[in-house]
Structure formats: structure tokens, C-alpha cells
Amino acid sequence: MTAPLRPGDPTIVNVALGDRAYDIVIGRGQLAGLGARAAALKPGAKAAVVSDATVARLHIGAAEAALKAGGLSTGHIVIPAGEGSKSFACFESVCESLIDMRVERGDLVVALGGGVVGDLAGFAAAVVRRGLDYVQVPTTLLAQVDSSVGGKTAINSRHGKNLVGAFYQPILVVADTAVLDTLPPRQFRAGYAEVVKYGLLGDAGFFAWLEANVKDVLAGGAAREHAIATSCRMKAAIVARDERETGDRALLNLGHTFGHALEAAAGFSDRLLHGEAVALGMALAAEFSARLGVLAPDKVARAIRHLAGAGLPVSLGEVAGGVPDGDRLMDLMAQDKKVKRGKLTFILLRDIGDAYIAPDIDPAPLRAFLVEKLNAR
Ligand SMILES: NC(=O)c1ccc[n+]([C@@H]2O[C@H](COP(=O)([O-])OP(=O)(O)OC[C@H]3O[C@@H](n4cnc5c(N)ncnc54)[C@H](O)[C@@H]3O)[C@@H](O)[C@H]2O)c1
Ligand SMILES: [Zn+2]
């Protein structure tokens, strides 16, 4: 592991995808260099900045100024904040606005925001004029360590989340860790769940480092950059191995099968943020791994202690407004994409830092496990 960074030093992580490879630039103040970096890739381009109303109020001025300083002309499209914007209606309006702005093949879409803006603007970039280059400028911790990297773009259908989309890689990611200073603490903690996920799924040393440095990461110290860079390195490596999730990339779903069911049950609302659902999902995945005899109980306790210590929910009783019964949760999990011939695919843990794909989980013991957890609330 590298030493924590000094402020001002960017870390650059390359996502090695051949002719579609790109850099993730991570560091405090890196937004100021956005224009120079974008111009180096697309000299003379027009940059259409897509953002949500909250992020635009805080950061769009700096982003457009940086783009102009790099010699690019700019325009912007501002959508309402929140998951509701990953809709066909909002997607249509962003596409039409890009065409209104006369954004051409040589131009650039800049997604400035959290995962909602990144997923929506990335998908619009994938299809408007059959593909425009785009840059991710993630402004939430979740987006910096997860959604801005890897090229999954999508909007939601009335049948569920992320059901309409494309694999479409950005040409650059600029993660300015200073923009996280304006992020509400609850959103920051939710993003931290995805950071813990990388330690749990594949790097015991990183998990131990997080145990020692969590306060500093949450407080915004120098450790924050290190946590983000380490997370991006791991995601970049997994994406480079398995861009379209035919194998290893599924490991990134640790905690997400339980998590998505709980998020759906809470109506994708503020009752349970995505990262909170993932924290709870990882706690359940660890406990279920122990139930199946593959993970030692002291390791379960260690994983849960860390998540809870970071202020994340780890038991079903902590979900505001309650959770539905075992059958309903099973239905919601079965609606997840990862069901084959009646068996569920789960990401389970053999150890801290050692997750594996279990494609053949029987519904019956899983249901019994959930009912027991529900009764224990
Ligand atoms: N594409 C992928 O690989 C991938 C991976 C994980 C999640 N996702 C998607 O990401 C979305 C969730 O992303 P998210 O958690 O970033 O949510 P989000 O984009 O809704 O952002 C959360 C909230 O924080 C506000 N915000 C963002 N940056 C801010 C800042 N710097 N200061 C103050 N407020 C700020 C936003 O306006 C919003 O209200 C979901 O739709 C999920 O499906 C995609
Ligand atoms: Zn996630």
C-alpha cells in the first residue's frame, strides 16, 4: 500500500481497456485542472455540463470556469436532484437539450454530480448522435469510488432500477476530493460503505487500514484520498479484467442482493440510502456466510463492528419505517437479475478480503435465515 498523499498531489489510476483506456485523476483541488485535461483529449470541443440542481448551485461555476480556462466553450443542463431523475422523461429532456445545444461528435458531455447524474448523462452520451465522448466529474463519495468508474450507465424502468442502459466508458474521470466537503455527512457515510466493500471483497490489508483510519477518512483528512485511490485501483483492475460482468466483476455486488431488496422495500427513498442498504447487505452476507459454515464467527463480528462504528446500519431493526416479511424480501431478491433456475447467486465471504461468487444458493435456507433475522429485531 502507498503512503497517504500530500494535499495537491493527484493520484492517477488508469483503467486499462485498450483503445478505450482512461485515467481517473484523484486529489484535492483537481477540478481546477479539468479544462486542461479535457482539452488535451478534445481540443476545441464544446463541453455540455450536466448536473443536478444541488450540485450546480455549489460547484457548476467552478467546473465551467475550469473548462473555459482550458479553452473549451461550455453550456449546461441542470436536472432535479434525486433518483427520480433517472427516468425516461428526464433522459428525453437531457438528450433533447444536448441536441438543442448543437453538441456534435467532436464535443464533450461532462457529468458533474453523484451517481444519478453520472448514470443519466453517461447514458445520454452513449446514444445521442450514436455516441458522444464524456467525462465523469463525480461529486459524491459513492460516485468517486464506484459509479463514475467502469462505464455502467442507466436509467430506471417502472419494472426496476437500471434496467435500461449501456456499457459506455468515459474518456476521463476527475475526482476532486475537496467537493466532498459540501456533501451531507449521511451521504458521505453511505458512500463509505462501498469503500469498506473493496476491503471486504478483496484486500484484507486495506480493510485493516480502514479500521485504523476510519475517523480520518470520515473527517476528510489526508486518509480520504488514500481510501478513494485504493478503491478506484481495485475497481479499475476488476473492470479491466471483466468489463461486461461475465465473471469477476460480480464480486462488486457484495452486499447488493440483500441491499437492493431492502432498498426496493423502502421505495428507493431517503429511508434507506443505497450505501446504507449495502452496509446492511454486507452484514447479512457475512452472517449468511457464517451460517453456511464458510466464514468464522469472529470475522463476521469484525466486519459488522467496523460498519457499525462508521455509523452504518447493520441490522434489519435499524431500517426507518421497518422492513417487509421474509416472503416479500425473497420475492424482491428473486426479481434481482442474478437468479438462475430457481437458485440465487450470492457474493459470499470466506474471509475478510476474500469474497467469492456462489451461484447456487437454495432459497429455503436463505428464507429461514431471513425470517430468523426478522424475528430477532
Ligand atoms: N454506474 C454504476 O456503476 C453505479 C454504481 C453504483 C451506484 N450507481 C447509481 O448511483 C446512484 C446513487 O448515486 P449517489 O449516491 O451519488 O446519489 P445522488 O447522485 O443522488 O447524490 C446524492 C445526493 O447528494 C447531492 N450531492 C451530490 N454531490 C454533492 C456535493 N458535492 N455536495 C452536496 N450535495 C451533493 C445530490 O444532489 C443528491 O441529492 C444510484 O442511482 C445508483 O443506481 C451506479
Ligand atoms: Zn453499490
Side-chain angles (χ1 to χ4, degrees):
M1 251 183 311
T2 52
L5 298 160
R6 280 171 292 136
D9 274 354
T11 300
I12 300 191
V13 176
N14 187 258
V15 186
L17 286 167
D19 58 359
R20 289 170 299 111
Y22 55 94
D23 285 338
I24 311 165
V25 179
I26 303 152
R28 236 187 141 74
Q30 290 304 311
L31 187 58
L34 170 67
R37 291 183 192 279
L41 297 167
K42 305 281 290 181
K46 182 189 306 175
V49 182
V50 182
S51 195
D52 75 29
T54 305
V55 178
R57 186 167 46 76
L58 295 163
H59 301 295
I60 207 169
E64 288 198 71
L67 289 161
K68 288 195 176 101
L72 305 186
S73 61
T74 70
H76 55 250
I77 300 166
V78 177
I79 61 168
E83 184 70 28
S85 285
K86 277 173 65 172
S87 64
F88 277 100
C90 192
F91 174 68
E92 178 182 356
S93 122
V94 170
C95 291
E96 295 290 5
S97 300
L98 288 170
I99 297 164
D100 278 346
M101 288 164 76
R102 300 185 191 286
V103 177
E104 310 277 349
R105 290 290 285 273
D107 295 327
L108 200 57
V109 175
V110 176
L112 174 74
V116 165
V117 167
D119 281 14
L120 173 72
F123 185 40
V127 298
V128 170
R129 298 194 184 275
R130 299 199 180 87
L132 300 166
D133 284 341
Y134 77 114
V135 174
Q136 289 276 15
V137 185
T139 64
T140 63
L141 180 60
L142 180 134
Q144 296 196 347
V145 299
D146 192 358
S147 62
S148 68
V149 176
K152 280 191 182 178
T153 73
I155 57 172
N156 303 328
S157 128
R158 66 188 153 84
H159 296 285
K161 252 175 82 88
N162 299 330
L163 289 176
V164 178
F167 283 100
Y168 191 62
Q169 301 290 343
I171 62 166
L172 173 70
V173 180
V174 175
D176 183 342
T177 54
V179 302
L180 301 178
D181 292 347
T182 58
L183 195 63
R186 185 181 171 200
Q187 290 284 354
F188 192 91
R189 279 196 302 276
Y192 184 73
E194 303 277 7
V195 174
V196 176
K197 179 184 80 176
Y198 292 108
L200 283 177
L201 79 85
D203 190 339
F206 183 46
F207 185 84
W209 183 88
L210 289 172
E211 287 178 314
N213 292 280
V214 55
K215 278 211 182 76
D216 202 10
V217 175
L218 293 175
R224 186 197 275 178
E225 274 79 1
H226 179 69
I228 293 170
T230 306
S231 301
C232 285
R233 262 187 221 108
M234 194 176 308
K235 178 140 189 195
I238 291 174
V239 167
R241 281 205 300 276
D242 177 24
E243 185 181 7
R244 292 188 169 245
E245 199 170 315
T246 52
D248 260 18
R249 188 166 177 169
L251 292 173
L252 297 171
N253 295 328
L254 176 64
H256 281 63
T257 302
F258 286 120
H260 281 157
L262 295 165
E263 252 186 302
F268 298 102
S269 69
D270 280 358
R271 276 171 52 202
L272 190 66
L273 301 179
H274 174 76
E276 293 169 342
V278 169
L280 185 38
M282 290 190 294
L284 290 170
E287 289 185 300
F288 189 55
S289 302
R291 176 65 50 88
L292 297 177
V294 293
L295 182 67
D298 60 316
K299 308 278 171 73
V300 180
R302 189 177 161 200
I304 289 180
R305 198 182 319 123
H306 184 61
L307 291 164
L312 288 161
V314 291
S315 73
L316 293 171
E318 293 174 76
V319 181
V323 286
D325 64 19
D327 287 327
R328 175 81 183 122
L329 282 178
M330 288 299 290
D331 281 350
L332 288 167
M333 282 196 282
Q335 276 167 25
D336 217 60
K337 299 174 283 266
K338 301 158 207 89
V339 188
K340 272 192 194 129
R341 280 169 244 105
K343 305 268 188 173
L344 289 141
T345 295
F346 264 81
I347 312 304
L348 298 178
L349 288 170
R350 264 187 223 105
D351 200 344
I352 303 280
D354 184 10
Y356 68 102
I357 303 169
D360 51 1
I361 297 299
D362 272 326
L366 178 62
R367 189 181 177 287
F369 167 78
L370 278 174
V371 168
E372 192 183 305
K373 288 283 140 201
L374 286 162
N375 289 339
R377 268 175 303 166

